[in-house]
Amino acid sequence: MPANISSRLLYAFVALAELKHFTRAAERCNTSQSALSVMIQKLEAQVGTRLFERDTRKVALTPEGELFAEAARSLIAEIESAFENMADYVARRRGRVSIAALPSLAATVLPRVIAEYRRRYPGVAVSLHDALSDPCLSLLRAGSADLALTAAGPKAAEFDARTLLSDPFYVVCRRDHPLARKKTVRPAELAGEELVHLAKSSSVRQHVDVLLGNAAARDSGFDVEHLATAAGLVKEGLGVCLVPELTLYQFRQLDLVAIPLKSSHKRPILLVKRKDQSLSLAAQAMLELIEEVAKGGWRGGENAAAATQITSRA
């Protein structure tokens, strides 16, 4: 039959075993001597044997009491360790949080967020997965990520998602391209231009197809996976590229110009978590910090420097 022994009984037993005096043990346990005596009797009844030899002059452990003392101290240590560990998690001194994010976010604003998070909670381990939209959601679905920063799409409907920002689009071209002299570019002005596209599986491409609409732009024949590849193709005059503002950092090392696209259509960036699972305290703190930074404006720091470096038109 399982024993029904409370931690209070264990603390009373250890106090009496160490102090070998009912009055002093009762004082340590903040109880009366008679109450302590009742607790010891109850414990002995649960164990099924006497744990103490006691007379008018002394209190001593029985051989069985000596054995039980070792187990009792171990149990108390485990209980205290469990509460200390939980206190650390509650205070965010320990724990872990995992984020999945689009490469454009993982390379620009998230490092700043993670650095601030680690300053506030140095004991919490943070991991970052940089992936396209669908893989971000797959990581979230599998429980490999607590939060995802990704573009809007139909697969996001199964999650708890909120919009953090709307990412406007830019036309990136060489400095000697006719479009480079413009302050803004309308989608219709891309008629006849050869476009270097990102892969059809990317969130960027899906928005670009909407932006172009009926614009008679020409296909350069390049559908690439990586922004760095697109930048290299544009640099060699093989076309122009239509990309969101948060990706402009990929073009800053090249002598290119980025001109704002005049359109109300923007790429929504979502902060996503699972509907069926509560966040850990560490993950909740990360979510709150991301929202805090978002309210202050995502386009500071690294990304703004990148945009300024590659264009005087933005």
Side-chain angles (χ1 to χ4, degrees):
M1 182 177 180
N4 183 20
I5 299 174
S6 70
S7 59
R8 190 162 181 259
L9 294 185
L10 292 176
Y11 278 105
F13 168 80
V14 170
L16 187 57
E18 291 178 351
L19 297 174
K20 297 180 174 58
H21 193 282
F22 269 92
T23 301
R24 290 198 293 271
E27 289 173 354
R28 177 189 285 187
C29 296
N30 294 315
T31 190
S32 66
Q33 182 175 333
S34 60
L36 180 71
S37 180
V38 169
M39 284 191 282
I40 297 301
Q41 291 172 13
K42 184 176 180 180
L43 181 61
E44 289 176 329
Q46 286 285 332
V47 173
T49 188
R50 290 178 62 82
L51 300 174
F52 292 96
E53 297 288 358
R54 41 198 183 270
D55 56 30
T56 55
R57 291 181 300 170
K58 66 176 183 178
V59 177
L61 287 166
T62 65
E64 292 77 18
E66 293 282 0
L67 288 172
F68 189 74
E70 185 177 339
R73 290 189 181 97
S74 177
L75 287 170
I76 287 174
E78 289 183 14
I79 291 170
E80 291 180 346
S81 176
F83 275 93
E84 287 173 5
N85 287 343
M86 187 54 62
D88 283 344
Y89 281 107
V90 171
R92 301 179 181 93
R93 289 189 292 266
R94 299 176 69 178
R96 61 186 306 108
V97 58
S98 178
I99 312 167
L102 295 173
S104 56
L105 290 160
T108 53
V109 294
L110 268 181
R112 177 160 52 99
V113 172
I114 292 171
E116 174 61 20
Y117 186 90
R118 292 186 69 176
R119 187 190 67 78
R120 296 185 188 185
Y121 313 112
V124 178
V126 180
S127 60
L128 174 61
H129 307 272
D130 54 341
L132 298 180
S133 291
D134 286 351
C136 279
L137 296 179
S138 294
L139 288 164
L140 196 62
R141 190 181 295 110
S144 300
D146 301 295
L147 300 167
L149 284 168
T150 185
K155 292 184 179 179
E158 68 179 273
F159 300 97
D160 179 356
R162 62 197 77 177
T163 301
L164 277 180
L165 62 96
S166 295
D167 199 13
F169 278 78
Y170 283 69
V171 177
V172 179
C173 62
R174 287 166 54 113
R175 289 192 178 274
D176 59 2
H177 193 284
L179 291 176
R181 298 190 293 271
K182 292 181 172 291
K183 291 185 177 180
T184 61
V185 175
R186 292 178 290 107
E189 292 178 275
L190 295 173
E193 296 293 340
E194 289 192 329
L195 288 181
V196 173
H197 282 297
L198 293 175
K200 293 180 180 179
S201 60
S202 69
S203 66
V204 172
R205 176 60 178 277
Q206 293 159 21
H207 286 283
V208 166
D209 288 345
V210 173
L211 281 164
L212 290 175
N214 296 322
R218 295 164 57 199
D219 191 344
S220 66
F222 298 110
D223 285 46
V224 299
E225 294 283 348
H226 302 289
L227 287 163
T229 306
L233 294 168
V234 172
K235 179 179 181 295
E236 295 303 322
L238 296 171
V240 302
C241 194
L242 200 54
V243 293
E245 183 180 10
L246 286 172
T247 67
L248 292 181
Y249 72 98
Q250 283 282 11
F251 301 86
R252 64 181 176 176
Q253 298 300 330
L254 305 177
D255 190 26
L256 300 174
V257 174
I259 311 101
L261 189 71
K262 193 171 184 179
S263 172
S264 60
H265 184 88
K266 296 178 175 62
R267 181 179 68 152
I269 299 296
L270 307 180
L271 175 57
V272 188
K273 64 184 183 71
R274 289 175 58 171
K275 289 181 179 178
D276 60 349
Q277 186 172 326
S278 298
L279 292 176
S280 67
L281 291 172
Q284 181 64 34
M286 177 61 80
L287 181 147
E288 291 169 1
L289 179 57
I290 289 170
E291 292 183 324
E292 176 186 325
V293 173
K295 287 179 182 176
W298 287 92
R299 292 180 174 84
E302 182 73 12
N303 194 61
T308 302
Q309 186 171 347
I310 69 168
T311 180
S312 61
R313 310 294 188 195

